[in-house]
Amino acid sequence: MKILVTGGAGFIGGNFVYYLLNRYPGDKVVCVDKLTYAGNLETLESALQDPRFTFYKADITDRRDVEEIFSKEKPDAAVNFAAESHVDRSIGNPSVFLKTNIFGTQVLLDACRRHGTARFHQVSTDEVYGDLPLDRPDLFFTEETPLHTSSPYSASKASADLLVLAYFRTYGTPVTISRCSNNYGPYHFPEKLIPLMITSALEGRPLPVYGTGANVRDWLYVEDHCAAIDLILRGGRLGEVYNVGGHNERTNLQVVQAIVDLLGKGEIVFVKDRAGHDLRYAIDPSKIERELGWTPTVRFEDGLRRTVDWYLTHRAWWEHILSGSYRRYYHKMYGGKIS
Ligand code: NAD
Ligand code: TYD
């Protein structure tokens, strides 16, 4: 199978590229990535040595480029990871989120239609469901939970999901959608909670926890997410949504404290809360477990230890990021709050 992966120079897309190359010796992988601030070719260094891997630096909102790539490569399937993915950035500048996440998805759907691509998988998020209250641990997001978004990021992802389902109903485009909880693991850009806290502690910077740190996220090791997407791509029912999550709920403060404990250092500081901050995410994954036999394999404590070890042994990867545009971004976001 030849699989086109958009956003493969990012965190989850990069892990998915390696998942495919390691697991399916006969598969070819074509990566399309614009290399925004979040895309890093160093993540794909080994893949770029593999003859089964091809990389295109291209914007998914550019119809001409996307058309050219589909004409040349004729992929059997496309998996769309490409997105603007950081809630905080979406609060600062929503426009690019709408352009990439909604319009870019439409460009890809059109290309799949025109070329008769056998599968289009949209990588979505549990954030499309909004949030759950902190005092109702019995509630979980199911695939039937109404879409109820809070941030420009989640609104753009929900819009894309609706478009994907509309293409299925209207044109019969063979689509599937996964909505996953928060991922963590190797190659995670160090502006998201877990890698930010690890790299900050290692560099002696404070660890900025929003509000009181009571917000809850449901964490999944990135490889378990890759396995879920792979199962859906090969066996999921067309037109269906699958929730993905491993019942690993933690408050942000618990996560940050666990990182401090693993590293033996790190000064936690409480900073101004995020606007519209979602309280709790929690996924009910029973549909994908029942239909496709997916189960998470990595316990949070083990995954976090592995992740901390990865950042300790891959300093060059994240130091290159910190020395560049990320550093300017860091000052803009946190300079006034903790310096
Ligand atoms: P990321 O920000 O690390 O990577 C995004 C990648 O997309 C980058 O390589 C970037 O260069 C590329 N990109 C951005 N705009 C592009 C464009 N216009 N054209 C081509 N490439 C473009 O994101 P991530 O955390 O790996 O998330 C990947 C996907 O998974 C996103 O769609 C996100 O919504 C979804 N998701 C993420 C999480 C999570 O916890 N990180 C959880 C659930 C779902
Ligand atoms: P994040 O990694 O941005 O993912 P998301 O907002 O998509 O869930 O944030 C995870 C949680 O951590 C979220 O509740 C916000 C919180 N957070 C902090 O407390 N401090 C930070 O510096 C960041 C980036 C996030």
Side-chain angles (χ1 to χ4, degrees):
M1 200 148 93
K2 187 188 266 189
I3 301 170
L4 185 139
V5 174
T6 69
F11 164 45
I12 309 175
N15 278 280
F16 190 66
V17 165
Y18 288 116
Y19 186 91
L20 292 178
L21 291 175
N22 292 336
R23 210 176 167 90
Y24 299 102
D27 277 7
K28 292 197 167 112
V29 180
V30 176
C31 176
V32 176
D33 198 297
K34 185 184 176 182
L35 297 180
T36 66
Y37 78 94
N40 187 350
L41 268 189
E42 289 184 35
T43 297
L44 294 173
E45 217 167 64
S46 326
L48 287 162
Q49 312 297 320
D50 191 319
R52 297 171 298 151
F53 181 76
T54 312
F55 180 83
Y56 291 92
K57 180 181 182 314
D59 187 332
I60 59 163
T61 69
D62 186 323
R63 275 189 192 279
R64 224 184 41 198
D65 279 3
V66 169
E67 174 57 32
E68 241 179 70
I69 294 166
F70 270 75
S71 295
K72 184 156 179 242
E73 298 289 348
K74 301 185 175 39
D76 301 301
V79 184
N80 183 26
F81 292 90
E84 288 293 334
S85 69
H86 193 182
V87 172
D88 291 325
R89 286 182 186 252
S90 84
I91 294 168
N93 176 21
S95 302
V96 66
F97 283 73
L98 273 53
K99 185 168 181 216
T100 290
N101 299 3
I102 307 173
F103 181 63
T105 300
Q106 193 227 343
V107 168
L108 293 169
L109 285 164
D110 282 343
C112 288
R113 266 188 77 204
R114 245 191 331 273
H115 291 270
T117 311
R119 286 259 180 183
F120 175 83
H121 182 74
Q122 175 72 357
V123 181
S124 187
T125 164
D126 60 357
E127 302 193 27
V128 299
Y129 299 121
D131 63 354
L132 296 163
L134 291 176
D135 60 355
R136 289 291 307 274
D138 55 314
L139 296 181
F140 295 92
F141 297 136
T142 73
E143 290 80 1
E144 276 70 50
T145 301
L147 302 187
H148 191 262
T149 57
S150 312
S151 70
Y153 163 68
S154 53
S156 70
K157 293 296 290 184
S159 306
D161 283 12
L162 293 175
L163 206 53
V164 170
L165 295 173
Y167 269 60
F168 175 72
R169 169 88 186 242
T170 307
Y171 307 114
T173 312
V175 306
T176 45
I177 296 177
S178 52
R179 293 183 180 145
C180 190
S181 59
N182 285 62
N183 283 215
Y184 68 103
Y187 302 116
H188 205 176
F189 194 81
E191 69 181 10
K192 303 285 177 72
L193 182 75
I194 288 182
L196 175 75
M197 298 302 162
I198 297 172
T199 54
S200 297
L202 289 174
E203 292 215 315
R205 280 181 275 121
L207 315 188
V209 171
Y210 295 163
T212 61
N215 302 62
V216 171
R217 297 293 181 265
D218 184 357
W219 294 96
L220 186 71
Y221 194 66
V222 63
E223 247 174 58
D224 281 329
H225 186 192
C226 292
I229 293 171
D230 184 45
L231 281 172
I232 298 168
L233 188 65
R234 290 164 205 267
R237 285 187 293 133
L238 296 180
E240 291 293 317
V241 173
Y242 293 90
N243 281 356
V244 183
H247 287 300
N248 273 311
E249 289 180 54
R250 299 285 185 288
T251 67
N252 292 338
L253 193 54
Q254 282 173 325
V255 171
V256 179
Q257 189 57 56
I259 292 169
V260 171
D261 293 346
L262 281 168
L263 287 171
K265 58 178 160 186
E267 182 211 345
I268 296 174
V269 293
F270 294 94
V271 300
K272 187 168 170 289
D273 209 352
R274 170 186 283 172
H277 197 173
D278 280 337
L279 293 172
R280 170 177 170 248
Y281 303 144
I283 281 279
D284 173 355
S286 45
K287 179 174 172 182
I288 189 169
E289 289 175 346
R290 195 176 57 246
E291 288 191 15
L292 299 172
W294 177 83
T295 44
T297 60
V298 182
R299 288 173 56 242
F300 183 70
E301 288 66 26
D302 300 334
L304 193 63
R305 190 170 302 110
R306 266 201 227 175
T307 304
V308 166
D309 284 345
W310 189 88
Y311 281 84
L312 283 169
T313 51
H314 293 76
R315 277 194 97 110
W317 182 87
W318 55 267
E319 280 176 354
H320 291 175
I321 295 173
L322 295 189
S323 62
S325 63
Y326 174 73
R327 180 162 287 285
R328 288 193 289 282
Y329 171 77
Y330 183 89
H331 281 301
K332 198 175 116 211
M333 281 302 297
Y334 302 113
K337 294 177 186 168
I338 59 175
S339 60

